[in-house]
Amino acid sequence: RKEVEQDPGPFNVPEGATVAFNCTYSNSASQSFFWYRQDCRKEPKLLMSVYSSGNEDGRFTAQLNRASQYISLLIRDSKLSDSATYLCVVNEDDMRFGAGTRLTVKP
Amino acid sequence: DTAVSQTPKYLVTQMGNDKSIKCEQNLGHDTMYWYKQDSKKFLKIMFSYNNKELIINETVPNRFSPKSPDKAHLNLHINSLELGDSAVYFCASSQEAGGYGYTFGSGTRLTVV
């Protein structure tokens, strides 16, 4: 079983749509959680951390459910510039990355 | 100033050759990493160094040898390159091992022909 599993995607949505990505992790001792964004042929960049109480950053909302070992990312009012691959990341002794979910926002 | 810089950006080489990729960070971070991203885009850790000491060495062929001359540098040497080594290799750094957020270099796209 993979350590970090994500929706395989791809997600193709119109501008203005709301889209949600899910992620599960296998190690219950994992301490911290993140969402990274990776544009085509670029390096991954930190999008936001995920806190137990849930957290929001503008149009982005992240949720964590430790009991179910589940993380989510919600994007509201999608923009064309949101098109990218979103990587779920779980911190054990080092950062373990999911395979990513590709999002394409269309006009 | 680039925070984490890798060279070269692109590397095309023949099977059997030996090549090196260099990485430097100017963030003052204690920990550096090498990740491999294959054609399926899956990012997998290869090595982690904390203050010049190896702390993670995942199952990687021993043709891959990391070297950290100081905590700001982590180089990757690859012997006897194989077709399956073709991938994008990312260097990253963080303040502490497994610390809050990683800063990645822009990647080295290695193609073995």
Side-chain angles (χ1 to χ4, degrees), chain A:
Chain A
R1 184 182 168 192
K2 289 182 187 160
E3 294 160 319
V4 181
E5 295 202 53
Q6 293 185 239
D7 286 348
F11 285 67
N12 299 305
V13 302
E15 270 189 291
T18 296
V19 61
F21 304 138
N22 302 317
C23 171
T24 56
Y25 59 96
S26 60
N27 185 349
S28 59
S30 297
Q31 293 298 311
S32 50
F33 310 88
F34 307 89
W35 284 100
Y36 274 68
R37 170 192 169 130
Q38 186 172 23
D39 291 291
C40 188
R41 302 179 84 86
K42 298 284 188 182
E43 71 272 24
K45 291 186 177 176
L46 179 65
L47 178 66
M48 60 194 301
S49 301
V50 186
Y51 301 120
S52 297
S53 55
N55 50 296
E56 192 173 303
D57 182 1
R59 298 180 293 107
F60 298 82
T61 300
Q63 297 276 355
L64 168 64
N65 183 323
R66 283 189 186 270
S68 302
Q69 295 178 206
Y70 172 95
I71 306 160
S72 65
L73 177 68
L74 182 78
I75 305 175
R76 290 183 300 278
D77 189 22
S78 301
K79 311 290 185 194
L80 296 178
S81 57
D82 293 335
S83 297
T85 296
Y86 291 83
L87 303 167
C88 174
V89 185
V90 173
N91 191 357
E92 302 169 9
D93 292 326
D94 59 86
M95 306 275 257
R96 301 285 165 156
F97 286 76
T101 301
R102 182 163 176 76
L103 171 67
T104 302
V105 181
K106 299 190 173 182

Side-chain angles (χ1 to χ4, degrees), chain B residues 9-27:
Chain B
K9 194 170 176 65
Y10 298 96
L11 184 53
V12 181
T13 188
Q14 290 188 325
M15 281 175 58
N17 283 351
D18 302 338
K19 290 293 178 185
S20 291
I21 308 171
K22 297 188 175 184
C23 180
E24 176 181 2
Q25 54 97 1
N26 62 6
L27 298 168

Side-chain angles (χ1 to χ4, degrees), chain B residues 16-17 36-38 46 61 63-64 78-89 108-112:
Chain B
N17 283 351
K36 178 181 179 180
Q37 189 169 43
D38 58 26
M46 300 174 70
R63 298 180 295 103
F64 291 79
I78 315 170
N79 288 327
S80 304
L81 278 154
E82 300 178 357
L83 293 177
D85 297 333
S86 296
V88 181
Y89 292 83
T108 296
R109 186 170 295 272
L110 171 65
T111 303
V112 182

Side-chain angles (χ1 to χ4, degrees), chain B residues 6-75:
Chain B
Q6 293 179 230
T7 53
K9 194 170 176 65
Y10 298 96
L11 184 53
V12 181
T13 188
Q14 290 188 325
M15 281 175 58
N17 283 351
D18 302 338
K19 290 293 178 185
S20 291
I21 308 171
K22 297 188 175 184
C23 180
E24 176 181 2
Q25 54 97 1
N26 62 6
L27 298 168
H29 286 168
D30 286 338
T31 309
M32 296 184 72
Y33 312 84
W34 278 111
Y35 278 81
K36 178 181 179 180
Q37 189 169 43
D38 58 26
S39 56
K40 294 182 180 174
K41 308 300 182 188
F42 187 56
L43 258 174
K44 188 169 172 58
I45 190 162
M46 300 174 70
F47 301 103
S48 170
Y49 269 73
N50 181 261
N51 208 4
K52 301 194 298 177
E53 286 192 23
L54 179 67
I55 55 173
I56 291 173
N57 182 356
E58 292 289 307
T59 306
V60 174
N62 58 15
R63 298 180 295 103
F64 291 79
S65 52
K67 283 195 171 47
S68 182
D70 56 61
K71 74 174 194 177
H73 295 84
L74 181 61
N75 304 322

